[in-house]
Amino acid sequence: MAKRAKQILVSAEPNELKVAVLEQGRLVEIYVERKGTKPLAGNIYKGKVENVLPGMEAAFVDIGLEKNGFLYVEEVMVHEDPDKRPKKITQMLRSGQEILVQIVKDPMGTKGARLTTQLSIPGRFIVYVPDGDGIGVSRRLPDDERKRLRQICRELKVKNAGLIVRTAAEGVSKKELKGDLKFLEKMWQIVKGRDKSSKAPSLLYSEMEVSLKVIRDLFNETYDRVLVDAQKEYDKIRSFLRKTSPELLERIELYQGSKPLMDTYEVNKEIRHALEKRVELPSGGYLVIEYTEAMTIIDVNTGRYVGKSRLENTILKTNIEACKEVVRQLRLRDIGGIIVIDFIDMARPRNRREVLETLGKELEKDRTKTYIVELSPLGLVEMTRQNVTEGLRGILTKTCPTCDGEGVILSEESMAIDIEQKLRRLADTSSSEAFLVEVHPKVAAMLIGQGGAKLKELEQETGKYFSFEGLDTIPIDTFEVTAEGSREAIQRASLPVAEGDDVRLRIEEPHTYNPVDAIAKIDGYVISITGAGKMIGQDRKVHIDSVTRTCAYATLVDEEQQETQQDEKGEDRDGEVPKRQEHGTGMA
């Protein structure tokens, strides 16, 4: 499949909408929108000031969400002379006051949404700023084009509003800009009408869904096409472009492939990789991306890349490759906040400058605001990237319930020692004779020991009886005493089978020491089955020959022979040919 320079993929499922941006066939940005988890940045609300905090120069505003929004004093817009602008939050806001606010940063973790009263409504080519003034033009555009667009905006003579011209406006005519402005002015009138007729807290304006937002903000002549896998979404995008950029309509295609769109272009595979810590570089080096509460740390390593000449050249090539991949990962994962990149230390200042210049050039591809601090002698680059959403990691993952986000848990040995200490204390304080304890199978093995030696020692020293039930569903760092009482009662409660039982089991794995035999389990309790080594994965009936505290021993039941014997017994009961007469006939 030929790799197109730049394209956008849109996949619409019943519960999820994905938009992928590909450059040279590689995924560089991914947007995921799910039911109930739509990004809120850009939404305009009529809010009610709940608390004004002089000590923080900020206010909490109720906008109808689970957590109140947070409004800094710098984000409060005043319409008086800027030179006479009050300096304190208490001079601008009061509790109970109703104000219009816009979300600039989605709620994250325990923090509510970040708010501003400096409202703006984005269009295809311009951003409309109600009650603002002045004209701004994207710095990504050439100087001549910026002058041309600024002059057109002056000719539009906008009243009581400011304008920001977007990068997408490059080359567009005055008529197109005027049409975009007219649409945005109409939208603002609708917002004002809703403001008058509603009570706080209420939503007045909602941002577009992610597919249209990406088309509006990104799609232009530099993209080869937009590939959409759902008719409804395809029609929606074409309808939007018909009003804003009809010349791009021919680049919208409906995907007709047999495989899912995101699988065909390996987007889902790339998303899974984007959740991993390690990222491979083309020459054999790699990145390690670590997330902390305060910042994201990216470590650059040479890995298996050894170079061809000098060490300094090997390090330089790895660092240059890392610059490109780091920026790709920032965009793909939507990493925001403080970022520290630990490049491999370089001896030559010239090489350090080259790495920093390469990083800056790559960051020009990133639409999100970034700021880089100079490369330190230790090879560290500190930078910031605007944090608007929780990013891919926040949308697709949740905190591990076992490690609670720490990334590590107690080892089986540590947990076994901890449990043993608690069981010894329990034995000293309880009048019960025996205890049934549920633990992870690996921890149970540590507690029992080789040949049951550790368990015997524990029981001899405490004078109590312990039965450990190994359950795969229990986290390694958890245990529970589920029953206590007499020795006989705990023995009955702890064993899932009894001697003489016939049970049907799934044969799971070969026996560790005797591959002729095999192992089955009931809630973690091991059953060793003689002669079942070639029946892995099969469901077979077995006869329990003997039972111990830690495992049972069983043999396979010949089900055909068993059925024949049962049939013969049934014939005896019915008064038909007795079994012994059959044997007599066969011998005659």
Side-chain angles (χ1 to χ4, degrees):
M1 183 185 298
K3 291 183 179 179
R4 293 174 179 257
K6 294 172 72 175
Q7 57 185 326
I8 297 172
L9 312 179
V10 180
S11 176
E13 299 290 343
N15 297 310
E16 184 179 70
L17 181 61
K18 281 182 186 170
V19 181
V21 179
L22 276 63
E23 294 178 2
Q24 304 300 331
R26 297 196 75 198
L27 180 66
V28 294
E29 293 181 24
I30 181 72
Y31 302 88
V32 181
E33 190 174 285
R34 292 174 173 172
K35 283 189 175 180
T37 59
K38 183 181 177 181
L40 303 176
N43 288 2
I44 298 175
Y45 295 83
K46 185 174 188 177
K48 186 175 183 180
V49 178
E50 287 287 305
N51 298 309
V52 179
L53 310 174
M56 295 182 67
E57 289 296 344
F60 284 105
V61 182
D62 179 10
I63 54 175
L65 301 180
E66 185 179 349
K67 296 184 180 71
N68 288 339
F70 194 71
L71 179 63
Y72 281 109
V73 64
E74 291 86 356
E75 296 292 346
V76 181
M77 184 178 179
V78 291
H79 301 297
E80 297 88 8
D81 186 343
D83 295 333
K84 298 179 181 179
R85 172 188 169 90
K87 295 182 179 180
K88 296 185 179 296
I89 190 79
T90 50
Q91 296 173 311
M92 303 179 187
L93 299 173
R94 66 181 185 279
S95 295
Q97 180 180 348
E98 293 187 348
I99 56 174
L100 295 189
V101 291
Q102 187 167 30
I103 293 181
V104 294
K105 182 177 176 181
D106 279 4
M108 295 184 192
T110 59
K111 299 177 182 177
R114 178 85 174 267
L115 306 176
T116 182
T117 64
Q118 301 176 41
L119 310 181
S120 62
I121 303 177
R124 173 80 169 137
F125 306 119
I126 57 177
V127 177
Y128 184 80
V129 185
D131 300 320
D133 55 19
I135 298 168
V137 183
S138 171
R139 292 184 179 180
R140 293 176 183 267
L141 296 173
D143 290 342
D144 291 345
E145 181 64 6
R146 293 180 70 213
K147 290 178 182 177
R148 184 185 75 87
L149 291 169
R150 193 185 298 275
Q151 180 58 37
I152 291 175
C153 289
R154 288 196 189 102
E155 293 170 5
L156 293 176
K157 297 180 181 179
V158 182
K159 296 181 180 179
N160 303 318
L163 297 180
I164 301 171
V165 184
R166 313 186 71 172
T167 309
E170 184 174 10
V172 302
S173 64
K174 181 179 179 179
K175 182 181 178 182
E176 289 172 301
L177 287 173
K178 189 174 182 180
D180 205 27
L181 174 62
K182 192 174 181 181
F183 170 77
L184 294 173
E185 287 176 330
K186 185 178 179 181
M187 285 298 305
W188 175 237
Q189 292 304 316
I190 293 172
V191 172
K192 287 171 67 177
R194 289 172 180 170
D195 176 29
K196 291 178 182 178
S197 61
S198 62
K199 293 183 179 180
S202 58
L203 174 65
L204 305 182
Y205 166 82
S206 179
E207 256 286 25
M208 294 178 171
E209 67 176 39
V210 67
S211 57
L212 293 182
K213 187 177 178 182
V214 172
I215 295 298
R216 180 194 70 195
D217 296 346
L218 276 182
F219 186 49
N220 56 31
E221 289 81 2
T222 66
Y223 284 83
D224 294 328
R225 65 174 177 177
V226 175
L227 201 53
V228 191
D229 70 358
Q231 185 70 50
K232 184 178 178 182
E233 209 66 32
Y234 171 80
D235 293 339
K236 194 184 299 181
I237 291 170
R238 286 184 62 84
S239 175
F240 173 74
L241 285 176
R242 198 173 286 115
K243 299 173 185 175
T244 58
S245 302
E247 71 279 3
L248 296 176
L249 276 172
E250 61 181 19
R251 302 191 188 197
I252 311 298
E253 299 179 22
L254 185 63
Y255 177 69
Q256 305 284 0
S258 57
K259 281 178 64 179
L261 174 61
M262 293 302 179
D263 287 340
T264 299
Y265 289 85
E266 298 187 335
V267 171
N268 289 328
K269 180 181 176 182
E270 285 289 335
I271 290 174
R272 288 192 293 271
H273 287 325
L275 300 176
E276 298 171 357
K277 288 170 56 174
R278 179 163 168 153
V279 180
E280 302 296 333
L281 297 176
S283 64
Y286 63 93
L287 310 176
V288 175
I289 302 176
E290 295 275 6
Y291 300 90
T292 72
E293 185 72 20
M295 66 184 72
T296 302
I297 301 165
I298 304 176
D299 185 33
V300 183
N301 301 275
T302 53
R304 56 184 171 81
Y305 178 56
V306 295
K308 295 181 180 180
S309 55
R310 302 177 60 184
L311 174 61
E312 183 77 4
N313 294 339
T314 301
I315 292 172
L316 176 60
K317 182 176 180 182
T318 303
N319 283 339
I320 293 294
E321 283 187 356
C323 288
K324 298 175 181 178
E325 188 59 35
V326 162
V327 174
R328 176 175 172 262
Q329 292 297 324
L330 294 180
R331 296 171 65 192
L332 178 56
R333 302 179 187 221
D334 198 15
I335 298 172
I338 299 171
I339 300 158
V340 175
I341 309 169
D342 183 9
F343 287 103
I344 306 167
D345 191 22
M346 293 167 288
R348 295 180 179 177
R350 182 181 63 191
N351 291 344
R352 291 200 292 269
R353 285 195 301 272
E354 185 177 346
V355 168
L356 200 59
E357 288 170 4
T358 302
L359 181 63
K361 191 175 294 184
E362 289 297 316
L363 284 170
E364 291 177 2
K365 302 174 184 176
D366 188 7
R367 294 182 301 122
T368 304
K369 292 179 183 177
T370 57
Y371 174 72
I372 304 177
V373 180
E374 199 168 316
L375 182 66
S376 76
L378 295 176
L380 298 178
V381 169
E382 296 174 14
M383 62 174 288
T384 60
R385 187 172 186 268
Q386 189 177 15
N387 206 345
V388 178
T389 70
E390 289 187 294
L392 196 63
R393 191 165 175 259
I395 296 170
L396 301 183
T397 66
K398 66 175 184 177
T399 302
C400 170
T402 300
C403 74
D404 199 25
E406 291 297 323
V408 293
I409 59 173
L410 288 172
S411 66
E412 293 89 342
E413 182 181 16
S414 299
M415 196 61 202
I417 291 171
D418 182 57
I419 292 174
E420 184 180 337
Q421 291 172 351
K422 291 177 179 177
L423 292 180
R424 286 179 183 275
R425 289 195 291 270
L426 177 62
D428 289 340
T429 57
S430 175
S431 59
S432 299
E433 180 185 8
F435 305 90
L436 177 60
V437 184
E438 289 185 350
V439 294
H440 191 276
K442 291 182 179 179
V443 179
M446 301 286 293
L447 288 163
I448 294 167
Q450 186 70 31
K454 291 194 71 173
L455 179 56
K456 289 176 185 176
E457 182 183 345
L458 175 64
E459 291 180 336
Q460 286 172 358
E461 293 178 3
T462 61
K464 304 288 185 177
Y465 174 88
F466 295 94
S467 179
F468 297 109
E469 186 173 0
L471 296 177
D472 291 319
T473 55
I474 292 181
I476 282 178
D477 64 344
T478 304
F479 82 100
E480 185 177 359
V481 178
T482 56
E484 57 182 281
S486 67
R487 184 186 182 102
E488 293 76 16
I490 295 301
Q491 283 179 330
R492 288 195 301 271
S494 63
L495 299 177
V497 293
E499 191 173 311
D501 286 351
D502 283 353
V503 292
R504 182 171 291 279
L505 300 171
R506 169 63 61 100
I507 300 173
E508 297 181 13
E509 57 190 76
H511 196 286
T512 305
Y513 303 110
N514 188 358
V516 175
D517 300 338
I519 297 296
K521 293 179 183 178
I522 301 178
D523 293 334
Y525 182 78
V526 175
I527 299 172
S528 178
I529 306 167
T530 303
K534 295 183 179 180
M535 300 177 182
I536 307 302
Q538 297 182 23
D539 290 334
R540 296 299 298 267
K541 183 181 282 188
V542 301
H543 179 77
I544 306 299
D545 299 319
S546 62
V547 176
T548 70
R549 295 169 61 182
T550 57
C551 69
Y553 298 89
T555 52
L556 293 163
V557 172
D558 188 336
E559 297 185 56
E560 291 184 7
Q561 181 180 352
Q562 191 179 58
E563 289 176 2
T564 301
Q565 290 174 352
Q566 289 173 350
D567 290 343
E568 289 172 348
K569 287 178 182 179
E571 290 173 355
D572 277 344
R573 288 192 298 271
D574 293 340
E576 296 179 4
V577 180
K579 185 176 179 181
R580 60 179 176 274
Q581 290 182 1
E582 285 183 352
H583 282 288
T585 304
M587 293 174 64

